[in-house]
Amino acid sequence: MSASARKVDPARIEIRDVTKRFGSFTAVDRVTLTVEPGEFLTLLGPSGCGKTTLLRMLSGFETPTEGTIHIGSEDVTHLPPYRRNVNQVFQSYALFPHLSVHENVAFGLRMKKLERDEIDRRVAEVMQLVALQGFEQRRPHELSGGQRQRVALARAIVPEPEVLLLDEPLSALDAKLRRAMQIELKRLQRQLGLTTVFVTHDQEEALTLSDRIAVMNAGRIEQLGTASFVYHQPSTPFVADFLGEANLLQAEIVGREGEAARVRTQQGWELTIAAPENLNGAKRVVISIRPEKVLVSKQRIEAGNVFPARVAEELFQGATDRLTLQTSGGVKLTAIVANESAIREAIHEGDEVFCGLHEDDLVVVRADE
Amino acid sequence: MRPTSRSFSSRRAGLRAWLLLLPMLVWLAAFVVVPMGILLVYSFCQRDDLGRVVFVFSWENYARVFDPTYLAIFGRSVAYAAVTTVICVAAGYPVGYYIARRSEKRRNQLLLLVMIPFWTSFLVRTYAWITILKNDGLLNGMLQYTKLISAPLDIMYTPAAVIIGLVYAYLPFMILPIYSSAEKLDNALVEAAYDLGAGPVRSFAEVIVPLTWPGIAAGMLLVFVPAIGMFAITDLMGGARVPMIGNVIQNQFFQARNWPFGAALGVVFTLLFAVSYALLQRRRVWEEE
């Protein structure tokens, strides 16, 4: 199934002001979101944030309480799942246990009432695409987890949907297989140019796969942007904390110096931060610092903010070392440093070190009047 | 105990397993193997003028079983049981499936409702049906009162009454196994069928029915087999007009005092079950992961 052979073009998804309530519980709260044709968009959030409900409204298993959903030019808000040109890979794969791999993959094509020859040809193509030739006559229970995952993927893409939906499809796999499947999934999605919506609570998976990430919390989208933008410029404390790790500090603005601002943390620790424009008028802020942006050395460092600290705890993590730093002001910071032997030799629990923070690595994630 | 298990501990485990199974094996031997053996032996015997069993080998009883009179009764019994089974599947499937799709609390309440009739004697419930269906009974009374009919419907002592009685008696045995199969059905599979473009009817035919087939098959056996042999309902609700194979067998033991012939009928009857069971099991059931 080469990209040029596709008869169906990837579609744009437009979610407009969609709300979904279950009784008095609001699962999805006025979400507006556009997914571009061919884009890989991830809905990321903790369980109960509404990401699965939003996905189920795209597949048609749930109907919005308010708002509309368009796929391509069609309003699908009230269209049942079997009338939508959308296919899903289920979290449990949901392979039909009474059918062979071939019959599973052919199911969607059969429902489209295609000719038998056409079905066999397309199934053979997609089996090659997911590297499962020779497994056609097996039953799902005779396959490994990774193979089942690929059958589920093959079954979802072979009807050439306008949109591919993925509901945590990798969560049942072990870490190594998951990484391999991530790469494979991304390659397939690129090759087929499918508009893809991916639901996960795994932030690393989201960062690896997505063109854009929508971080969801309590039924709303907290932030929407490219993986690197959302990671480097989180717009709320929730996003900073959920996507990657963050040291969150509450502080008060005590002065402005052109492009920069002086802030004092609760513990009375003064820092210089790069001041974005939206800081105008703000008095109190929450600052996020990524642990890998915290510079640690026994020598004095060049950085906007340098201060002495003591290594309260050191955890060896393989490629990196994780340090808990205790500053004189009573602030605790988590730092992740590359595990170079020289540094590892140099820094141990209880050592007195210098800690450096560049001004633009201090990101304001909340500003209050 | 498999001969391959050489180690002391696994041999001990095998012995222990057999000891734990012992009560059941004794029970099966005493109440299944021995009675079946007696039945089989009697079926090849003769009887004397007083109805006592004489242990002289004979094929005569089996020859008589295949007499057209009895074959007709056999055929009728099978037909009634088949109609009963079809009605029970049609009526029981939606109920079992519906219950299985409820929340756990609701499921238990509904299952209780299905089982409540078992708290009352089966005969009492059959008599209750007679008071409903008889000419001056509840049903005719209501229909006449509402002017839907002018003369009472003749239901009692007709084949319809027998079918009503059989369906009523065996419906729970259809609902329960279907419920148990449907309860195990992963809803994601139904959603996957919808997702792949199968509408409600095709999803039902291609996914739901095949996956709940073990329950349907078990229900069909549990209804069909005892419905063939049932004699109380056919006696009470069918009158003497529609004798079934169950009535004939019962007669051989109680009125006619021809135990060997009754035993032969019983053996053929049992073989019939075995064949229908084998046919239903031939349909391949997928294996659990």
Side-chain angles (χ1 to χ4, degrees), chain A residues 56 59 61 81-82 86-88 90 92 94-98 104 107-108 110-111 113 139 141 148 155 159, chain B residues 186-200 202-203 206-207 210-211 284 286-289:
Chain A
R56 288 175 64 80
S59 49
F61 299 129
Y82 47 89
V86 167
N87 287 122
Q88 182 171 340
F90 292 80
S92 58
L95 299 178
F96 302 123
H98 60 301
N104 263 281
F107 194 91
R110 223 154 43 75
M111 294 306 124
K113 301 195 170 67
R139 297 264 163 164
H141 72 267
R148 281 182 218 179
R155 188 178 67 174
Chain B
D186 182 0
N187 198 43
L189 294 170
V190 182
E191 290 189 343
Y194 272 59
D195 187 71
L196 291 163
R202 295 205 80 175
S203 299
E206 305 222 12
V207 174
L211 292 179
R284 185 163 165 199
W286 85 98
E287 291 158 66
E288 296 278 337
E289 326 192 323

XYZ file of all heavy atoms in Angstrom, chain A residues 56 59 61 81-82 86-88 90 92 94-98 104 107-108 110-111 113 139 141 148 155 159, chain B residues 186-200 202-203 206-207 210-211 284 286-289:
433
model
N -13.241 8.678 21.891
C -14.456 7.889 21.627
C -15.521 8.707 20.908
O -16.379 8.154 20.236
C -15.006 7.313 22.933
C -14.129 6.184 23.488
C -14.611 5.712 24.847
N -15.939 5.110 24.783
C -16.171 3.865 24.391
N -15.180 3.101 24.041
N -17.392 3.398 24.363
N -14.414 8.376 17.297
C -14.737 7.084 16.684
C -16.243 6.879 16.581
O -16.696 6.066 15.791
C -14.087 5.940 17.469
O -14.338 6.074 18.839
N -18.277 6.211 19.390
C -18.833 5.415 20.485
C -19.512 6.290 21.531
O -20.272 5.806 22.351
C -17.752 4.557 21.138
C -17.142 3.579 20.186
C -15.773 3.487 20.037
C -17.943 2.759 19.421
C -15.210 2.594 19.149
C -17.393 1.854 18.525
C -16.027 1.784 18.390
N -20.581 4.778 14.593
C -19.196 4.385 14.252
C -19.085 3.672 12.912
O -18.109 3.878 12.194
C -18.785 3.438 15.376
C -19.821 3.497 16.407
C -20.984 4.275 15.910
N -20.102 2.840 12.582
C -19.976 2.046 11.355
C -20.233 2.863 10.092
O -20.100 2.353 8.999
C -20.894 0.815 11.412
C -22.304 1.089 11.868
C -23.292 1.435 10.960
C -22.648 1.003 13.209
C -24.587 1.687 11.386
C -23.926 1.259 13.640
C -24.896 1.603 12.731
O -26.179 1.861 13.144
N -13.371 6.048 9.765
C -12.392 6.221 10.824
C -12.132 4.847 11.401
O -13.068 4.074 11.569
C -12.987 7.136 11.930
C -12.168 7.094 13.189
C -13.136 8.557 11.425
N -10.884 4.499 11.650
C -10.612 3.205 12.273
C -9.726 3.371 13.482
O -8.906 4.274 13.556
C -9.982 2.233 11.270
C -10.988 1.743 10.255
O -10.809 1.902 9.068
N -12.081 1.188 10.734
N -9.923 2.468 14.415
C -9.266 2.603 15.706
C -8.445 1.359 16.043
O -8.831 0.242 15.713
C -10.340 2.816 16.789
C -9.766 3.014 18.167
C -10.826 3.437 19.178
O -11.894 3.926 18.807
N -10.535 3.243 20.445
N -7.477 -0.521 19.314
C -7.950 -0.522 20.692
C -6.816 -0.858 21.655
O -5.871 -1.555 21.299
C -9.084 -1.527 20.855
C -10.338 -1.128 20.127
C -10.469 -1.349 18.768
C -11.373 -0.510 20.805
C -11.620 -0.967 18.092
C -12.522 -0.131 20.140
C -12.645 -0.354 18.775
N -6.831 -2.888 24.116
C -6.698 -4.335 24.297
C -6.535 -5.041 22.951
O -6.578 -6.246 22.893
C -7.948 -4.857 24.993
O -9.087 -4.531 24.218
N -8.492 -5.817 20.823
C -9.836 -6.255 20.419
C -9.821 -7.062 19.127
O -10.648 -6.866 18.248
C -10.784 -5.048 20.300
N -8.870 -7.969 19.016
C -8.864 -8.869 17.857
C -9.958 -9.914 18.065
O -10.156 -10.389 19.180
C -7.503 -9.558 17.715
C -6.319 -8.616 17.493
C -5.028 -9.419 17.414
C -6.503 -7.794 16.238
N -10.647 -10.274 16.980
C -11.726 -11.244 17.106
C -11.127 -12.631 17.346
O -10.447 -13.176 16.473
C -12.580 -11.249 15.842
C -13.169 -9.903 15.525
C -12.938 -9.294 14.305
C -13.933 -9.232 16.465
C -13.471 -8.040 14.024
C -14.468 -7.977 16.191
C -14.234 -7.387 14.965
N -11.377 -13.224 18.514
C -10.697 -14.484 18.850
C -11.161 -15.656 17.999
O -10.448 -16.636 17.877
C -11.050 -14.698 20.326
C -12.249 -13.873 20.572
C -12.218 -12.740 19.605
N -12.349 -15.533 17.397
C -12.870 -16.668 16.623
C -12.438 -16.597 15.165
O -12.801 -17.475 14.383
C -14.394 -16.721 16.722
C -15.083 -15.487 16.203
N -14.851 -14.235 16.722
C -15.991 -15.317 15.220
C -15.595 -13.349 16.085
N -16.292 -13.973 15.162
N -9.392 -11.437 10.490
C -9.430 -10.215 11.289
C -9.112 -9.005 10.428
O -9.827 -8.004 10.448
C -8.419 -10.300 12.442
C -9.059 -10.727 13.741
O -9.688 -9.936 14.420
N -8.914 -12.007 14.071
N -11.730 -8.126 7.835
C -13.080 -7.836 8.333
C -13.640 -6.513 7.792
O -14.744 -6.461 7.246
C -13.072 -7.816 9.869
C -14.438 -7.849 10.495
C -15.042 -9.051 10.824
C -15.129 -6.667 10.758
C -16.294 -9.083 11.398
C -16.402 -6.697 11.318
C -16.983 -7.913 11.645
N -12.844 -5.446 7.935
C -13.304 -4.126 7.496
C -13.539 -4.065 5.991
O -14.459 -3.396 5.525
N -14.368 -6.639 4.113
C -15.557 -7.441 3.854
C -16.824 -6.605 4.106
O -17.796 -6.693 3.369
C -15.540 -8.679 4.746
C -15.943 -9.941 4.047
C -15.368 -11.190 4.670
N -15.406 -11.221 6.115
C -16.514 -11.440 6.825
N -17.678 -11.621 6.242
N -16.465 -11.467 8.143
N -16.769 -5.783 5.187
C -17.925 -4.952 5.501
C -18.152 -3.920 4.399
O -19.248 -3.437 4.205
C -17.730 -4.239 6.841
C -17.692 -5.175 8.031
S -19.130 -6.266 8.132
C -18.353 -7.866 8.170
N -17.887 -4.648 1.411
C -18.386 -5.468 0.302
C -17.473 -5.421 -0.916
O -17.921 -5.316 -2.056
C -19.803 -5.040 -0.085
C -20.784 -5.149 1.081
C -22.217 -5.080 0.593
C -23.204 -5.424 1.675
N -23.249 -4.452 2.760
N -4.422 -17.927 14.825
C -5.463 -17.281 15.616
C -4.793 -16.251 16.526
O -3.624 -16.437 16.887
C -6.175 -18.311 16.494
C -6.885 -19.365 15.713
C -8.331 -19.003 15.544
N -8.905 -19.797 14.469
C -10.205 -19.933 14.275
N -11.034 -19.329 15.090
N -10.672 -20.643 13.299
N -4.777 -15.790 19.629
C -4.154 -16.272 20.857
C -2.838 -16.987 20.600
O -2.115 -17.310 21.530
C -5.122 -17.162 21.642
C -5.360 -18.503 21.009
N -6.394 -18.742 20.144
C -4.669 -19.658 21.100
C -6.335 -19.996 19.732
N -5.303 -20.577 20.295
N 0.244 -9.221 17.908
C -1.173 -8.848 17.995
C -1.345 -7.366 17.735
O -2.285 -6.939 17.072
C -1.707 -9.126 19.399
C -2.022 -10.557 19.619
C -2.579 -10.734 21.000
N -2.065 -11.976 21.533
C -2.347 -12.424 22.738
N -3.099 -11.708 23.535
N -1.853 -13.555 23.142
N -5.322 -4.180 10.722
C -6.773 -4.223 10.572
C -7.360 -2.806 10.497
O -8.346 -2.571 9.808
C -7.385 -4.980 11.764
C -8.856 -5.249 11.627
C -9.408 -6.028 12.793
N -9.378 -5.259 14.033
C -9.905 -5.673 15.177
N -10.480 -6.852 15.250
N -9.851 -4.933 16.261
N -8.558 -0.670 5.697
C -9.712 -0.069 5.006
C -9.444 1.353 4.506
O -10.355 1.983 3.999
C -10.814 -0.062 6.079
C -10.328 -0.920 7.177
C -8.846 -0.833 7.137
N -16.072 -9.387 25.635
C -15.408 -8.091 25.788
C -16.114 -7.071 24.894
O -16.194 -7.244 23.688
C -13.941 -8.249 25.372
C -13.161 -6.967 25.533
O -13.747 -5.949 25.962
O -11.957 -6.985 25.230
N -16.615 -6.018 25.517
C -17.363 -5.026 24.744
C -16.502 -4.373 23.664
O -17.008 -3.918 22.640
C -17.939 -3.960 25.684
C -19.049 -3.184 25.017
O -19.898 -3.764 24.344
N -19.030 -1.875 25.145
N -15.193 -4.344 23.868
C -14.301 -3.766 22.866
C -14.412 -4.520 21.538
O -14.230 -3.926 20.478
C -12.863 -3.790 23.372
N -14.738 -5.815 21.600
C -14.875 -6.592 20.364
C -16.097 -6.139 19.573
O -16.072 -6.069 18.346
C -14.978 -8.083 20.687
C -13.722 -8.697 21.308
C -14.006 -10.105 21.803
C -12.602 -8.714 20.297
N -17.166 -5.829 20.286
C -18.368 -5.325 19.625
C -18.056 -3.951 19.032
O -18.424 -3.646 17.895
C -19.537 -5.243 20.626
C -20.795 -4.768 19.922
C -19.771 -6.595 21.282
N -17.348 -3.146 19.793
C -16.974 -1.827 19.294
C -16.059 -1.941 18.078
O -16.173 -1.162 17.131
C -16.287 -1.012 20.401
C -17.255 -0.606 21.497
C -16.645 0.377 22.471
O -15.401 0.507 22.497
O -17.407 1.030 23.201
N -15.154 -2.917 18.118
C -14.247 -3.103 16.981
C -15.042 -3.444 15.725
O -14.738 -2.946 14.635
C -13.230 -4.202 17.291
N -16.074 -4.262 15.875
C -16.906 -4.616 14.720
C -17.599 -3.365 14.165
O -17.585 -3.119 12.961
C -17.940 -5.664 15.125
N -18.166 -2.561 15.054
C -18.801 -1.304 14.641
C -17.777 -0.423 13.940
O -18.045 0.164 12.900
C -19.325 -0.562 15.877
C -20.724 -0.939 16.275
C -21.038 -2.246 16.598
C -21.725 0.022 16.340
C -22.322 -2.586 16.976
C -23.011 -0.311 16.716
C -23.301 -1.615 17.038
O -24.586 -1.944 17.394
N -16.607 -0.332 14.562
C -15.559 0.546 14.056
C -15.155 0.158 12.634
O -14.833 1.012 11.817
C -14.348 0.457 14.992
C -13.278 1.457 14.634
O -13.516 2.654 14.856
O -12.219 1.054 14.121
N -15.186 -1.145 12.357
C -14.761 -1.632 11.046
C -15.909 -1.630 10.039
O -15.800 -2.207 8.963
C -14.168 -3.033 11.173
C -12.830 -3.045 11.927
C -12.478 -4.443 12.385
C -11.718 -2.486 11.050
N -17.027 -1.001 10.400
C -18.081 -0.789 9.427
C -19.220 -1.786 9.488
O -20.085 -1.786 8.619
N -19.231 -2.664 10.497
C -20.341 -3.605 10.626
C -21.461 -2.925 11.400
O -21.246 -2.470 12.519
C -19.886 -4.868 11.344
N -22.641 -2.862 10.797
C -23.796 -2.286 11.494
C -24.267 -3.232 12.581
O -23.675 -4.291 12.788
N -25.345 -2.871 13.284
C -25.822 -3.701 14.399
C -26.091 -5.151 13.991
O -25.720 -6.067 14.710
C -27.117 -3.004 14.822
C -26.964 -1.600 14.361
C -26.122 -1.628 13.126
N -24.937 -6.992 11.356
C -23.736 -7.762 10.999
C -22.840 -7.981 12.218
O -22.234 -9.032 12.349
C -22.963 -7.042 9.898
C -23.751 -6.974 8.601
C -22.854 -6.846 7.423
N -22.287 -8.125 7.044
C -21.528 -8.303 5.964
N -21.251 -7.278 5.186
N -21.049 -9.480 5.674
N -22.748 -6.987 13.092
C -21.953 -7.171 14.312
C -22.519 -8.327 15.126
O -21.787 -9.146 15.666
C -21.967 -5.909 15.180
O -21.417 -4.843 14.473
N -21.871 -11.665 13.072
C -20.487 -12.070 12.791
C -19.587 -12.053 14.023
O -18.508 -12.626 14.002
C -19.891 -11.147 11.718
C -20.761 -11.131 10.480
C -19.956 -11.183 9.204
O -18.742 -11.454 9.283
O -20.553 -10.938 8.151
N -19.976 -11.326 15.045
C -19.107 -11.247 16.220
C -19.824 -11.725 17.487
O -19.348 -12.615 18.179
C -18.569 -9.804 16.417
C -17.786 -9.691 17.714
C -17.696 -9.421 15.223
N -21.102 -15.650 17.253
C -20.007 -16.632 17.349
C -19.325 -16.635 18.717
O -18.953 -17.691 19.212
C -19.026 -16.189 16.265
C -19.825 -15.380 15.322
C -20.929 -14.748 16.104
N -19.198 -15.463 19.323
C -18.477 -15.402 20.590
C -19.330 -15.840 21.778
O -18.809 -16.177 22.830
C -17.930 -13.990 20.830
C -16.814 -13.591 19.861
C -16.337 -12.176 20.145
C -15.647 -14.555 19.941
N -16.637 -25.478 16.196
C -15.389 -25.186 16.888
C -15.544 -23.995 17.823
O -15.991 -22.929 17.453
C -14.293 -24.880 15.882
C -12.958 -24.700 16.591
C -11.831 -24.805 15.632
N -10.624 -24.285 16.257
C -9.580 -23.923 15.561
N -9.591 -23.996 14.267
N -8.523 -23.456 16.183
N -13.612 -21.309 20.091
C -12.257 -20.758 20.160
C -11.700 -20.966 21.548
O -12.425 -21.096 22.518
C -12.274 -19.283 19.794
C -12.604 -18.410 20.959
C -11.734 -17.734 21.750
C -13.892 -18.158 21.516
N -12.398 -17.076 22.729
C -13.709 -17.317 22.619
C -15.184 -18.558 21.196
C -14.772 -16.867 23.383
C -16.233 -18.112 21.973
C -16.028 -17.294 23.031
N -10.396 -21.016 21.610
C -9.762 -21.214 22.899
C -9.510 -19.887 23.590
O -9.196 -18.910 22.950
C -8.425 -21.934 22.707
C -8.605 -23.362 22.251
C -7.354 -23.848 21.564
O -6.331 -23.962 22.227
O -7.416 -24.092 20.347
N -9.640 -19.893 24.892
C -9.306 -18.693 25.661
C -7.808 -18.492 25.605
O -7.045 -19.432 25.476
C -9.715 -18.879 27.137
C -11.202 -19.030 27.332
C -11.917 -17.681 27.342
O -11.251 -16.675 27.633
O -13.112 -17.649 27.041
N -7.384 -17.243 25.705
C -5.953 -16.972 25.633
C -5.268 -17.496 26.884
O -5.791 -17.406 27.954
C -5.675 -15.474 25.581
C -6.720 -14.736 24.839
C -6.296 -13.322 24.542
O -5.625 -12.727 25.416
O -6.597 -12.844 23.466
